[in-house]
């Protein structure tokens, strides 16, 4: 319904003259139109009436009306009233993608039991950090990371993983994905054209390396780990020596020596992804490959498996010649990783709360591993379970002649179970073994037995 403004003016406008009377009137009229106090089709007061009401010159009001008409807020008809323009139909906002409903059971690999995050210890360390941190903790810092964390990591990695770690050669990053992407770009800039990556291996990591402009050379893996005789002309190699992903193989000592010799003889770089090296169940954790060739091996670690992936805390221990170019790449990427979380982790390590958490997690995941192996042996005896000496996942190989991965994934969907097929990890799937990568660390708390029941239902016809 159109409203006419005649006689006494009944329009409240809060005109701020601090930047000029005309500009103040224009802002007030725009606000009235946007807030729908002046609706489309409404006639605005005449210039004479509004000027008298506001104590402005009529020419000021007329100029404001002209400007708003030019902007599309008002329409002026010769000989008629000036009215609020019809509002154009707003463009529909892009639809938010529907959030995927979480499956009832989750055995995807790559995540710890998030319900066991050491919240009490983290809070205790946070309080200590906030009570004692200098003001510069809130400023942009060294792109290599806080000195406190680099020193704590040097001590921890040396005693727990056998890494030769000088704090000056450690750079803290926002997750292993950033570590790998920045390092691939640095190696590219230094002349590397191709990187050997394990086959099968992590498809996301291959995508990161390719995005940096490097070619990926498939590096076959067998029960003894990656094969050094298949490196070809690659200028670097990415390895998971302690617990190969996804087969679970441990790189044998003779192959460790062969890879180290290759790097020393050719000047190549080895990237050691020690993503879950703390979790070894048959004996003491295997020491890092980096300890045998610290000038040629980049050691990569992360809190994603020990604490939580959302912390976005990872680190690289770099050969001396890569520290400065990598630190500069980190600076240009995001300046630095947030300081408070770094200091809290440093406190956790320094008070040994981190060690206690890892030991408790190791015992808990070993029990889960044992239950997985026993359950599949009893209820799906034709399925071979590999890679269970360490880590947070196992490879369940499907027998020849039984259901393949496609059928297993269809049955998993029917039972509302999230699983990872082995097929996705091959660069060249072709005629490959059929299997499922089972993340036994992923279910939260007491949800694990039910997830195992669902897995056995999927594999009942294997």
């Amino acid at each position: 319904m159109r409203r006419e403004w005649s006689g006494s003016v009944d329009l409240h406008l809060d005109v701020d003259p601090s930047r000029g009377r005309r500009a103040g009137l224009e802002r007030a009229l725009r606000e009235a139109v946007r807030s729908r106090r002046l609706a489309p089709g409404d006639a605005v007061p005449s210039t004479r009436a509004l000027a008298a009401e506001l104590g402005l010159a009529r020419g000021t009001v007329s100029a404001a009306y002209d400007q708003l008409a030019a902007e599309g807020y008002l329409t002026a008809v010769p000989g008629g009233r000036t009215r609020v323009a019809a509002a154009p139909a707003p463009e529909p906002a892009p639809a938010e993608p529907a959030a995927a409903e979480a499956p009832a059971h989750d055995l995807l690999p790559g995540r710890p039991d998030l319900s066991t995050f050491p919240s009490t210890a983290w809070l205790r360390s946070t309080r200590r950090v906030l009570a004692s941190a200098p003001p510069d903790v809130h400023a942009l810092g060294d792109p290599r990371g806080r000195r406190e964390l680099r020193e704590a990591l040097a001590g921890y990695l040396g005693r727990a993983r056998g890494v030769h770690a000088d704090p000056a050669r450690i750079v803290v990053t926002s997750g292993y994905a950033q570590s790998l992407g920045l390092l691939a770009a640095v190696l590219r800039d230094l002349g590397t054209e191709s990187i050997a990556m394990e086959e099968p291996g992590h498809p996301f990591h291959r995508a990161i390396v390719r995005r940096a402009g490097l070619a990926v050379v498939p590096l076959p893996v067998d029960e003894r780990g990656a094969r050094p005789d298949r490196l070809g002309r690659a200028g670097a190699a990415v390895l998971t020596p302690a617990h190969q992903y996804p087969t679970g193989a441990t790189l044998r000592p003779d192959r460790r020596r062969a890879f180290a010799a290759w790097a020393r003889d050719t000047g190549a770089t080895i990237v050691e992804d020690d993503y879950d090296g703390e979790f070894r169940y048959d004996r003491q954790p295997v020491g890092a490959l980096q300890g045998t060739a610290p000038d040629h091996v980049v050691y990569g670690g992360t809190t994603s498996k020990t604490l939580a992936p959302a912390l976005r805390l990872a680190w690289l221990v770099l050969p001396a010649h890569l520290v400065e170019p990598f630190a500069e790449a980190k600076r240009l990427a995001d300046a630095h990783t947030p300081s408070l979380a770094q200091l809290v982790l440093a406190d956790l390590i320094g008070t040994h709360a981190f060690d206690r958490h890892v030991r408790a997690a190791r015992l808990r995941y070993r029990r889960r591993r044992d239950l997985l192996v026993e359950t599949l042996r009893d209820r799906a005896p034709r399925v071979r379970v590999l890679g269970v000496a360490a880590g947070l996942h196992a490879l369940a190989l499907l027998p020849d002649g039984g259901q393949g991965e496609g059928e297993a994934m269809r049955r998993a969907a029917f039972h509302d179970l999230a699983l990872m097929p082995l097929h996705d990890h091959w660069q060249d799937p072709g005629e490959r073994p059929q299997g499922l990568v089972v993340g036994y660390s992923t279910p939260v708390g007491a949800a694990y037995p039910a997830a195992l029941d669902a897995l056995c239902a999927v594999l009942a016809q294997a």
Side-chain angles (χ1 to χ4, degrees), residues 247-260:
T247 69
T250 299
L251 190 63
R252 298 298 174 87
D254 59 327
R255 293 192 176 180
R256 291 163 67 94
R257 290 190 294 270
F259 276 112

Side-chain angles (χ1 to χ4, degrees), residues 147 178 181 261 265 279 290 331 345 363 365 389 405 409 424:
R147 178 79 186 186
Q178 185 185 60
D265 294 344
F279 300 110
Q290 189 265 5
R331 185 184 71 83
L345 179 58
L363 177 60
Y365 295 141
E405 286 179 20
M409 294 304 294
D424 293 349

Side-chain angles (χ1 to χ4, degrees), residues 280-283 361-371 440:
R280 190 87 196 177
Y281 309 123
D282 58 348
R283 51 189 165 87
R362 187 184 298 130
L363 177 60
R364 182 167 52 251
Y365 295 141
R366 177 170 184 166
R367 291 170 177 163
R368 289 194 177 196
R369 186 278 310 261
D370 292 346
L371 183 58
Y440 52 80

Side-chain angles (χ1 to χ4, degrees), residues 45-289:
S46 67
T47 55
R48 185 188 302 276
L50 189 57
E53 175 70 17
L54 298 178
L56 299 174
R58 185 178 178 185
T60 299
V61 177
S62 179
Y65 279 8
D66 289 344
Q67 178 62 31
L68 293 178
E71 294 176 8
Y73 287 93
L74 303 178
T75 58
V77 179
R81 302 296 300 271
T82 299
R83 299 183 181 275
V84 177
E91 294 185 10
E96 291 272 349
E101 187 174 348
H105 313 290
D106 189 350
L107 288 173
L108 290 172
R111 197 178 73 203
D113 178 355
L114 299 179
S115 69
T116 64
F117 182 83
S119 300
T120 301
W122 187 268
L123 180 60
R124 189 181 301 120
S125 290
T126 300
R127 285 172 171 162
R128 278 196 293 267
V129 165
L130 290 175
S132 61
D136 70 356
V137 73
H138 304 295
L140 291 177
D142 188 335
R144 295 177 300 170
R146 294 288 304 193
R147 178 79 186 186
E148 297 91 334
L149 178 56
R150 291 187 284 118
E151 289 178 346
L153 286 171
Y156 170 76
L157 295 174
R159 61 180 167 79
R161 302 297 299 122
V163 175
H164 289 260
D166 184 325
R169 290 168 60 170
I170 296 175
V171 178
V172 180
T173 66
S174 302
Y176 179 72
Q178 185 185 60
S179 295
L180 182 60
L182 294 180
L183 182 60
V186 167
L187 293 176
R188 178 202 64 210
D189 292 346
L190 293 176
T192 299
E193 297 179 352
S194 61
I195 293 185
M197 302 187 74
E198 294 168 332
E199 171 79 345
H202 205 306
F204 180 51
H205 294 171
R206 289 197 297 264
I208 290 172
V209 168
R210 289 191 175 113
R211 186 175 180 82
L214 295 175
V216 173
V217 177
L219 186 62
V221 171
D222 58 25
E223 68 280 358
R224 300 172 62 197
R227 293 181 53 178
D229 61 324
R230 302 292 293 274
L231 283 163
R233 299 173 62 86
V238 179
L239 304 176
T240 51
H243 187 231
Q244 200 276 330
Y245 182 83
T247 69
T250 299
L251 190 63
R252 298 298 174 87
D254 59 327
R255 293 192 176 180
R256 291 163 67 94
R257 290 190 294 270
F259 276 112
W262 166 74
R264 283 192 294 265
D265 294 344
T266 64
T269 300
I270 295 174
V271 183
E272 179 176 11
D273 178 4
D274 196 33
Y275 65 103
D276 63 0
E278 288 90 350
F279 300 110
R280 190 87 196 177
Y281 309 123
D282 58 348
R283 51 189 165 87
Q284 288 296 314
V286 177
L289 175 62

Side-chain angles (χ1 to χ4, degrees), residues 107-112 202 245 275 304-305 309 392-393 437 439 441-442:
L107 288 173
L108 290 172
R111 197 178 73 203
H202 205 306
Y245 182 83
Y275 65 103
S304 290
K305 308 299 183 292
L392 305 179
H393 74 273
V437 186
S441 64
T442 303

